[in-house]
């Protein structure tokens, strides 16, 4: 074996994927330094988080895929139980109850569920023939919707959306017939009024604000208006690092977390954004390639669903910041400041790498 | 581990999965393109639009109020200036416990419950980092006491702004005027941009009529502000242009003398320089302290001033309209001479009354048993009414009107002092238009002695008197002599302005009238002979007594039986020296009784003061006095460090 291959093989890491993640993380740190007002501490804290994330990724990449397979049901059950424990034992922050504290460690069970749902659905579907039959689709759907319902109750619309998407992607990749997909989409559309009914006021306002931000320019519409001004005024080349007036002068809210994309768009312009999108697209396509290369149905479904969920992160965040989707509290993956979702994302990449690096050479 | 192994079954599944994966890849690509499309739309096509919005977000314009011009008298005595007023200001975000802070501040500075209330009211309208005044108008002692203890109060500071101050108080308030808070009506009239940052505006007098000169031009700073409005840096600064300093034609010393002469009486005195039209003194009594308005007058005091029956805020000199009484006689007499009316060259027999042919009504003379036989000169000297009844009747109202208007009666003098009253010189046409009534001969008679419809302002009287003094040259009364630019020192003079002169057919008629007026003061039987004692110069004048209350035919005027408000107004017009007149004066003492007793002595006092004062320069000294230079060069040295622009 070549020495170069030997290193990554021994580390169980996929070099292209690792490269993409590193590039994005670096890009994120650069943007954060400016968005945070040259706050070195902020960058260092984010770097530490990234390092912890990388640790998780490397650790999980060492786990053999068959372990994921065999642990899937128990992990899923643990996730659901933790979610059930949140309303009873959880801590409340910013009007939502999402956190569980175990000793010194505080975590969101909903993050954990983002991984266990695709694991479980992929486990379930891969045990039968593909494409899955009607009842298996229904059961797969139920496996997804149970934790989704629990997350919605917290309430955490953004995470619920991602969890639902991760389950749905498994079903889609498993070859669920188009008529089922259409029927599912139709019933989802039918659920919209029902969903509206269950939404909190602030969630409804976000949707209304998207339709007409000017209606409430200082309230809910302020975020969107200032973000679009930041993006639009960035132009082709951007105003330059540290020179984004919208972000540096505080007009842009949450500029190092959910709205960091607007800072990048303002300071680095369309060109910077294209670089960022290319990096994301590269990671997603590499992930899909790994999924296609995976040697088991379980691995294919899991890897595909994980990278597609990653893409949903990107799409929803940028769509929200640029004003074509409602404001859903989702960070820009690997770039936004914040730790919880980062670890989950890195763990996901760890699983994908594990699937790719544990392949058994096929002898024909 | 069966599902993990590859079989032919699983290779079919693998193909299915690959197709789905490709489908997913295509959808991912399409969604990415959707995002790119949106971004291209925002960043390329609407770039200009958003750039504008972002600039507007970022750059704010902060006005810097100009320093108001100062007002001096003709010799450079300060009449209106700008003084720093100190207030205690708090930056809310720098204070943790405001109640504790106020409690502690009370140890060194008096803070009333009202102050506290006003603070919290203002707090609601301000941002957390903007200064909010806690106590206004600190005394010097309090400023000093706070300064020593400043370190104990982070977030508290003394702020200074300039407020208008009138060091001489009431002196010349009606001429100088005062400033007050800009009200809604004024806001609609002024150029709002020019008054951003200015809270006060001239309300009356020169302060109002020369507002354009005094105000200056607003400066501004283009600043970069963040979303909270906090100013981060100044991008560009345009200094304000301070207002011009004005030197009035008025002489503060003469003004003081005139005001003292009038004392507690209600009335007005106007003194003009005949050859230039310069207003040397302009008194309207009673007055009020203009500092009350500049410092923010309270409602109670303002109401009291407005409702006072003595009307202290009313400028009697230009807005008071009085019947001229006998002071009109020289003008009527001159008209008679010029018009060649036989009667003007003849005499009248005055039995003490006059009766129109065929009528019963007796028009009385002020002297019950009459003046006997009098000509024009004696009629003026003794102020015989009967003579002027006959002259007026012979002349007719329209010819009388013609002459009266040529002296400016019934017309605004055009003084630049806002809202001047017109007075009234009656005529047939006027009565037809205004009242839709015919003119009656009896009205001609009483117009001839300055009663009836005829009304004049003290300023008009003084101006007409000056026209006699100059033998027909008329100058528009003016109050400002020159404007001095406080920065460059450039002087701009307001030149005397002549108006249509009075040309006589027979110019010796001037001397006849003036000789008669001199007789009023210097003659044996002159009505104002009491004031000629020890006169060092020759003084020409004419007394007048204007009826406020009409005495019935069979009654006599008895001051003792009448309310003071119904007493006659005493009037006197005069100029001196007769040969080369340097001052013309009109005096009106409301309800003062006779012109000879109430008004003439005041005119003498004023004229004595003016002619007797050797220090008075004949003309205004050019240049600016030293005090003006230091006091208003845009930013006084003492203030530069502490004054900050006060918004609104």
């Amino acid at each position: 074996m070549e020495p170069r291959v030997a290193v990554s093989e021994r580390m169980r890491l996929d070099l292209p994927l690792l490269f993409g993640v590193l590039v994005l993380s670096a890009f994120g740190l650069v943007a954060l330094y400016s968005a945070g007002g040259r706050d070195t501490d902020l960058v260092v804290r984010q770097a530490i988080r990234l390092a912890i994330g990388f640790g998780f990724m490397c650790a999980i990449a060492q786990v053999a895929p068959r372990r994921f397979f065999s642990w899937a049901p128990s992990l899923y059950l643990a996730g659901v139980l933790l979610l059930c424990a949140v309303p009873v034992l959880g801590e409340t922050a910013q009007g939502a109850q999402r956190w569980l504290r175990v000793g010194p460690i505080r975590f969101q069970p909903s993050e954990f569920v983002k991984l266990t749902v695709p694991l479980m659905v992929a486990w379930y579907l891969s045990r039968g023939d593909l494409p899955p039959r009607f009842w298996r689709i229904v059961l797969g759907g139920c496996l997804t919707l149970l934790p989704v319902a629990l997350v919605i109750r917290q309430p955490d619309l953004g995470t619920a959306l991602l969890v639902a998407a991760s389950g749905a992607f498994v079903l889609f990749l498993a070859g669920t017939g188009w008529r089922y997909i259409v029927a599912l989409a139709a019933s989802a559309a039918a659920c919209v009024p029902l969903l509206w009914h269950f939404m909190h006021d602030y969630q409804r306002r976000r949707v209304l604000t998207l339709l007409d931000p000017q209606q409430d320019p200082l309230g809910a519409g302020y975020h969107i208006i200032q973000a679009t001004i930041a993006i639009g005024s960035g132009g082709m080349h951007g105003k330059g690092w540290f020179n984004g007036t919208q972000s540096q002068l505080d007009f842009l809210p949450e500029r190092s977390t959910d709205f960091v994309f607007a800072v990048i768009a303002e300071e680095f312009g369309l060109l910077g954004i294209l670089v960022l999108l290319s990096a994301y697209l590269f990671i997603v396509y590499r992930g899909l390639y790994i999924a296609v290369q995976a040697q088991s149905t379980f691995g294919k479904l899991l890897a595909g669903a994980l990278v597609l969920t990653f893409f949903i992160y990107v799409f929803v965040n940028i769509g929200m910041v640029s004003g074509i989707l409602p404001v859903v509290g989702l960070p820009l993956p690997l770039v936004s400041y914040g730790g919880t979702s980062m670890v989950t994302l890195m763990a996901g990449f760890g699983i994908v790498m594990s699937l790719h690096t544990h392949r058994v050479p096929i002898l024909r | 581990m069966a599902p993990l192994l590859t079989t032919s079954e699983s290779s079919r599944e693998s193909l299915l999965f690959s197709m789905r994966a490709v489908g997913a890849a295509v959808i991912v690509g399409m969604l990415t393109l959707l995002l790119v499309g949106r971004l291209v739309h925002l960043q390329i096509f609407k770039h200009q639009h958003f750039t504008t919005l972002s600039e507007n977000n970022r750059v704010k314009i902060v006005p810097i109020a100009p320093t108001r011009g100062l007002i001096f008298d003709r010799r450079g005595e300060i009449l209106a200036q700008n003084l720093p007023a100190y207030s205690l200001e708090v930056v809310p975000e720098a204070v943790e416990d405001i109640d504790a802070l106020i409690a502690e501040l009370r140890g060194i500075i008096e803070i009333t419950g009202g102050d506290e209330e006003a603070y919290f009211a203002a707090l609601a309208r301000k941002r957390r980092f903007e200064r909010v005044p806690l106590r206004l108008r600190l005394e010097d002692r309090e400023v000093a006491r706070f300064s020593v203890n400043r370190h104990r109060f982070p977030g508290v500071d003394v702020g200074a702004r300039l407020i208008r101050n009138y060091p001489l108080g009431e002196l010349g308030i009606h001429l100088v005027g005062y400033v007050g808070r800009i009200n809604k009506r004024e806001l609609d009239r002024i150029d709002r941009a020019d008054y951003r940052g200015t809270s006060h505006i001239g309300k009356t007098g020169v302060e109002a009529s020369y507002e354009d000169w005094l105000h200056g031009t607003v400066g501004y700073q283009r600043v970069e502000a963040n979303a909270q409005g906090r100013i981060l840096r100044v991008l560009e600064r345009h200094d304000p242009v301070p207002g011009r300093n004005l030197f009035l034609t008025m002489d503060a010393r003469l003004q003081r003398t005139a005001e003292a002469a009038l004392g507690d009486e209600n009335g007005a005195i106007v003194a003009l320089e005949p050859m230039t039209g310069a207003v040397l003194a302009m008194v309207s009594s009673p007055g009020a302290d203009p500092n009350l308005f500049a410092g923010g007058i309270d409602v109670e005091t303002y109401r009291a001033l407005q409702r006072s029956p003595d009307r202290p805020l009313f400028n009697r000199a230009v807005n008071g309209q009085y019947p001229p009484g006998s002071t009109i006689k020289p003008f009527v007499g001159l008209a008679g001479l010029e018009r060649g009316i036989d009667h003007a060259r003849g005499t009248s027999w005055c039995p003490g009354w006059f009766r129109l042919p065929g009528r019963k009504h007796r028009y009385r003379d002020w002297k019950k048993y009459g003046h006997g036989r009098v000509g024009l000169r004696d009629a003026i000297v003794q102020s015989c009414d009967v003579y002027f009844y006959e002259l007026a009747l012979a002349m007719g109202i329209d010819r009388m009107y013609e002459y009266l208007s040529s002296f400016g009666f019934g017309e605004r003098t055009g003084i630049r002092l806002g809202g001047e009253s017109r007075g009234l010189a009656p005529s047939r046409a006027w009565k037809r238009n205004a009242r839709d009534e015919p003119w009656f001969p009896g009205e001609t008679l009483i117009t001839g002695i300055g009663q009836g419809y005829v009304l004049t302002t003290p300023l008009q009287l003084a101006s007409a008197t000056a026209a006699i003094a100059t033998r027909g040259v008329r100058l528009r009364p003016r109050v400002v002599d020159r404007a001095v630019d406080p920065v460059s020192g450039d002087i701009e003079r307001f030149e005397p302005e002549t108006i249509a002169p009075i040309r006589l057919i027979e110019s010796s008629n001037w001397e006849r009238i003036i000789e008669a007026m001199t007789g009023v003061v210097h003659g044996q039987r002159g009505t104002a002979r009491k004031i000629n004692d020890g006169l060092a110069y020759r003084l020409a004048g004419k007394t007048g007594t204007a009826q406020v209350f009409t005495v019935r035919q069979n009654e006599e005027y008895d001051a003792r039986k009448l309310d003071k408000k119904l007493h006659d107004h005493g009037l006197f017009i005069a100029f001196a020296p007769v040969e080369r007149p340097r001052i013309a004066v009109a005096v009106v003492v409301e309800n003062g009784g006779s012109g000879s007793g109430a008004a003439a002595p005041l005119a003498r006092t004023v004229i004595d003061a003016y002619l007797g004062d050797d220090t008075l320069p004949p003309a205004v000294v050019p240049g600016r006095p030293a005090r003006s230079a230091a006091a208003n060069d845009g930013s006084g040295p003492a203030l530069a460090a502490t004054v900050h622009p006060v918004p609104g």
Side-chain angles (χ1 to χ4, degrees):
Chain A
M1 272 187 206
E2 317 283 320
R4 188 182 62 84
V5 177
V7 172
S8 65
E9 203 79 348
R10 217 177 299 137
M11 298 273 296
R12 304 286 182 193
L13 296 176
D14 178 55
L15 274 182
L17 203 51
L18 182 68
F19 171 75
V21 170
L22 281 175
V23 164
L24 263 180
S25 306
F27 199 129
L29 289 178
V30 168
L32 270 187
Y33 187 47
S34 168
R38 306 189 196 214
D39 182 355
T40 326
D41 284 355
L42 183 111
V43 175
V44 169
R45 279 200 299 274
Q46 178 78 348
I48 291 172
R49 275 201 198 99
L50 280 168
I52 294 173
F54 270 101
F56 258 86
M57 183 176 78
C58 295
I60 288 177
Q62 311 310 315
V63 180
R66 59 191 154 77
R67 299 242 179 272
F68 297 130
F69 186 83
S70 53
W71 292 345
S74 28
L75 285 174
Y76 176 79
L77 201 62
V80 171
L81 287 176
L82 283 171
L83 276 182
C84 291
V86 169
V88 188
L89 307 168
E91 294 177 5
T92 305
Q94 293 164 9
Q97 205 173 23
R98 299 173 185 171
W99 299 88
L100 267 189
R101 185 181 281 280
V102 180
I105 302 165
R106 209 173 63 134
F107 71 105
Q108 293 186 14
S110 53
E111 286 295 329
F112 183 52
V113 169
K114 278 184 197 165
L115 293 176
T116 62
V117 164
L119 265 174
M120 183 63 190
V121 181
W123 173 84
Y124 175 66
L125 292 182
S126 62
R127 282 164 57 93
D129 289 339
L130 295 188
R133 288 172 210 287
F134 178 72
W135 285 110
R136 296 187 69 84
I137 296 171
V138 172
L139 201 58
C142 289
L143 287 171
T144 310
L145 288 179
L146 174 65
V148 167
L150 290 170
V151 174
I152 285 183
R153 282 195 47 195
Q154 291 184 348
D156 188 349
L157 205 60
T159 308
L161 181 81
L162 286 173
V163 174
S166 64
F169 286 138
V170 179
L171 284 166
F172 170 77
L173 292 170
T176 300
W178 287 105
R179 55 204 165 104
Y180 295 121
I181 293 173
V182 170
L184 207 69
S187 58
C191 277
V192 167
L194 200 70
L195 191 69
W196 181 259
H197 180 74
F198 282 109
M199 271 192 196
H200 284 249
D201 273 347
Y202 81 94
Q203 293 167 329
R204 289 184 191 169
R205 213 160 42 237
R206 282 174 176 180
V207 175
L208 288 178
T209 304
L210 174 83
L211 300 177
D212 183 9
Q214 300 298 336
Q215 211 174 38
D216 184 13
L218 292 176
Y222 184 79
H223 284 52
I224 295 181
I225 292 172
Q226 296 301 338
T228 39
I229 291 175
I231 296 170
S233 62
M236 174 69 89
H237 304 283
K239 297 176 183 169
W241 203 25
F242 303 124
N243 289 331
T245 53
Q246 283 290 105
S247 28
Q248 301 299 328
L249 302 177
D250 233 6
F251 289 101
L252 194 63
E254 295 177 40
R255 60 188 185 283
S256 41
T257 52
D258 288 359
F259 281 77
V260 72
F261 177 81
V263 178
I264 299 172
E266 188 185 20
E267 300 196 342
F268 303 107
L270 186 61
L271 294 178
I273 290 307
L274 289 178
V275 170
L276 183 80
L277 282 175
S278 310
Y280 280 124
L281 221 48
F282 173 77
I283 291 176
V284 172
Y285 283 161
R286 175 68 190 171
L288 284 175
Y289 171 78
I290 288 175
V292 170
Q293 293 288 307
Q295 285 174 330
S296 68
T297 308
F298 170 74
K300 285 174 192 288
L301 294 179
L302 183 57
L306 286 174
V307 290
L308 288 180
T309 309
F310 174 75
F311 176 74
I312 285 299
Y313 256 111
V314 179
F315 180 74
V316 170
N317 179 273
I318 298 180
M320 149 186 112
V321 175
S322 62
I324 54 174
L325 291 178
V327 177
V328 185
L330 280 190
L332 187 63
L334 300 177
V335 175
S336 282
Y337 180 79
T340 11
S341 64
M342 170 109 61
V343 174
T344 324
L345 278 169
M346 290 296 205
F349 286 124
I351 295 175
V352 174
M353 288 185 181
S354 150
L355 289 169
H356 195 57
T357 52
H358 286 82
R359 279 175 303 163
V360 184
I362 298 167
L363 307 167
R364 286 190 191 272
Chain B
M1 290 266 106
L4 286 175
L5 294 177
T6 54
T7 61
S8 69
E9 174 70 358
S10 76
S11 89
R12 197 180 58 83
E13 284 182 4
S14 181
L15 187 65
L16 175 66
F17 177 84
S18 301
M19 281 169 61
R20 284 294 162 107
V22 169
V26 170
I27 293 171
V28 164
M30 275 166 26
L31 289 178
T32 307
L33 280 179
L34 175 68
L35 290 181
V36 171
R38 169 70 178 170
L39 293 166
V40 166
H41 171 72
L42 291 179
Q43 299 195 287
I44 307 297
F45 298 118
K46 302 199 80 177
H47 174 57
Q48 213 52 46
H49 170 69
F50 285 114
T51 302
T52 312
L53 289 183
S54 139
E55 264 316 90
N56 291 348
N57 256 349
R58 173 176 81 100
V59 177
K60 304 243 184 316
I61 308 262
V62 178
I64 312 168
T67 313
R68 196 173 174 84
L70 309 180
I71 303 177
F72 302 89
D73 86 333
R74 61 161 48 198
R75 301 196 234 203
E77 186 163 355
I78 287 200
L79 302 174
Q81 60 188 347
N82 307 307
L83 288 185
Y86 297 100
S87 54
L88 197 66
E89 296 172 349
V90 177
V91 181
E93 70 173 2
V95 174
E96 273 177 29
D97 183 352
I98 184 70
D99 294 321
L101 177 84
I102 291 175
E104 202 175 340
L105 274 170
R106 280 197 168 119
I108 54 168
I109 284 172
E110 190 194 341
I111 296 166
T112 66
D115 291 332
E116 210 174 327
E117 233 167 79
Y119 170 81
F120 286 109
L123 188 65
R125 283 180 281 112
K126 298 259 189 170
R127 295 188 150 142
R128 303 256 321 138
F129 52 84
E130 280 180 324
R131 292 159 157 247
V132 183
L134 177 58
R135 211 344 261 289
L136 299 173
R137 270 175 276 172
L138 290 176
E139 282 163 30
D140 288 349
R141 214 172 334 125
E142 292 177 307
V143 173
R145 220 163 27 214
F146 174 77
S147 304
V148 175
N149 292 289
R150 176 179 278 163
H151 62 276
R152 285 166 51 198
F153 304 104
V156 185
D157 212 342
V158 170
R161 67 193 175 103
L162 292 174
I163 65 163
R164 199 66 159 167
N165 173 266
Y166 304 93
L168 303 185
E170 273 195 31
L171 190 94
I173 175 182
H174 294 104
L175 177 59
V176 176
Y178 52 80
V179 299
R181 244 169 219 297
I182 300 174
N183 64 29
K184 214 168 173 289
R185 225 180 48 233
E186 287 156 342
L187 210 55
D188 293 336
R189 186 165 49 80
I190 57 180
D191 176 3
R192 281 170 189 240
D194 208 24
Y195 279 83
R196 285 188 61 186
T198 304
S199 56
H200 286 61
I201 191 169
K203 296 281 185 182
T204 62
V206 169
E207 289 272 34
S209 60
Y210 285 82
E211 176 67 26
D212 297 351
W213 294 75
L214 291 165
H215 176 62
T217 308
V218 70
Y220 64 90
Q221 284 180 330
R222 277 160 49 82
V223 299
E224 191 172 84
N226 69 7
Q228 285 81 44
R230 185 199 301 272
I231 293 169
L232 302 176
R233 64 195 167 110
V234 177
L235 302 173
E236 195 182 343
R237 184 187 159 101
H238 287 260
D239 284 328
V241 178
R244 246 80 59 87
N245 294 340
L246 296 181
F247 286 76
L248 303 190
T249 57
M250 182 258 261
D251 178 345
R253 284 202 246 173
L254 190 66
Q255 177 82 15
R256 206 176 280 121
T257 305
E259 288 187 11
L262 206 46
D264 292 336
E265 298 284 356
N266 290 359
I269 297 177
V270 175
L272 299 175
E273 194 173 46
M275 289 310 293
T276 63
V279 172
L280 298 171
M282 179 182 279
V283 183
S284 173
S285 173
D289 185 357
N291 291 309
L292 287 175
F293 299 92
I297 190 168
D298 61 284
V299 184
E300 296 289 301
T301 318
Y302 187 63
R303 287 253 169 83
L305 284 172
Q306 267 193 322
R307 289 179 183 166
S308 164
D310 292 330
R311 305 181 72 192
L313 302 182
F314 180 65
N315 186 356
R316 289 169 164 79
V318 297
N319 292 119
Q321 305 190 88
Y322 304 90
S326 300
T327 58
I328 206 174
K329 286 173 183 169
F331 306 98
V332 175
L334 188 68
L337 287 174
E338 269 297 285
R339 277 288 163 177
I341 310 292
D342 289 342
H343 184 78
R345 312 218 170 249
T347 58
S348 282
W349 172 257
C350 170
W353 51 268
F354 178 79
R355 188 180 270 167
L356 277 169
R359 298 292 177 87
K360 275 193 161 176
H361 185 93
R362 283 182 173 194
Y363 293 88
R364 289 191 272 199
D365 193 285
W366 64 272
K367 202 169 178 186
K368 199 172 181 186
Y369 301 105
H371 297 90
R373 184 150 297 280
V374 288
L376 176 60
R377 180 184 183 277
D378 289 337
I380 289 175
V381 171
Q382 299 175 32
S383 202
C384 173
D385 291 336
V386 172
Y387 177 89
F388 278 93
Y389 289 147
E390 290 182 1
L391 181 58
L393 195 63
M395 193 166 16
I397 184 62
D398 286 332
R399 274 186 283 182
M400 202 149 60
Y401 164 77
E402 193 186 309
Y403 272 83
L404 290 180
S405 7
S406 72
F407 275 96
F409 291 109
E411 286 171 10
R412 296 196 174 92
T413 63
I415 194 171
R416 192 164 160 185
L417 210 57
E420 184 191 7
S421 296
R422 193 181 271 279
L424 178 61
S427 66
R428 277 174 215 280
W430 164 78
K431 199 174 176 198
R432 211 178 306 118
N433 288 336
R435 308 224 164 168
D436 199 18
E437 278 173 20
W439 185 264
F440 299 112
E443 292 164 349
T444 308
L445 296 194
I446 55 173
T447 304
I449 63 160
Q451 295 285 357
Y453 297 119
V454 59
L455 291 173
T456 67
T457 66
L459 178 66
Q460 277 176 341
L461 266 183
S463 176
T465 307
I468 293 180
T470 58
R471 281 77 169 165
V473 179
R474 293 181 64 215
L475 287 120
R476 198 180 298 290
R478 56 199 189 88
V479 289
V480 177
D481 179 71
R482 61 195 189 277
V484 178
D485 188 316
V487 179
S488 64
D490 290 346
I491 297 170
E492 195 164 337
R493 293 191 170 278
F494 294 88
E495 298 298 337
E497 184 191 349
T498 55
I499 38 185
I502 302 157
R503 290 190 217 286
L504 298 189
I505 301 161
E506 187 77 54
S507 67
S508 66
N509 286 338
W510 285 123
E511 302 310 322
R512 289 188 65 179
I513 293 296
I514 292 170
E515 203 279 318
M517 288 176 75
T518 313
V520 170
V521 178
H522 296 275
Q524 287 273 305
R525 309 184 67 177
T527 50
R529 63 184 178 277
K530 280 181 199 153
I531 65 165
N532 68 15
D533 192 25
L535 261 186
Y537 49 90
R538 279 164 65 77
L539 173 65
K542 180 69 194 82
T543 56
T545 305
Q547 286 179 12
V548 176
F549 176 72
T550 307
V551 184
R552 263 177 270 160
Q553 281 284 291
N554 50 359
E555 280 178 12
E556 297 208 3
Y557 174 82
D558 184 346
R560 287 165 301 178
K561 288 184 190 162
L562 284 172
D563 181 13
K564 169 93 176 167
K565 282 281 146 204
L566 298 175
H567 287 193
D568 294 339
H569 294 328
L571 288 87
F572 193 69
I573 57 172
F575 63 88
V578 170
E579 300 74 22
R580 290 198 56 198
R582 283 172 54 202
I583 182 169
V585 178
V587 179
V588 176
V589 181
E590 281 181 17
N591 315 112
S594 70
S596 57
L602 310 190
R604 161 113 197 239
T605 308
V606 170
I607 297 173
D608 269 355
Y610 186 69
L611 296 182
D613 189 346
D614 294 336
T615 65
L616 252 180
V620 165
V621 177
R624 52 178 180 156
R627 276 166 83 184
S628 76
N632 183 16
D633 59 355
S635 58
L639 277 176
T642 46
V643 171
H644 58 88
V646 180

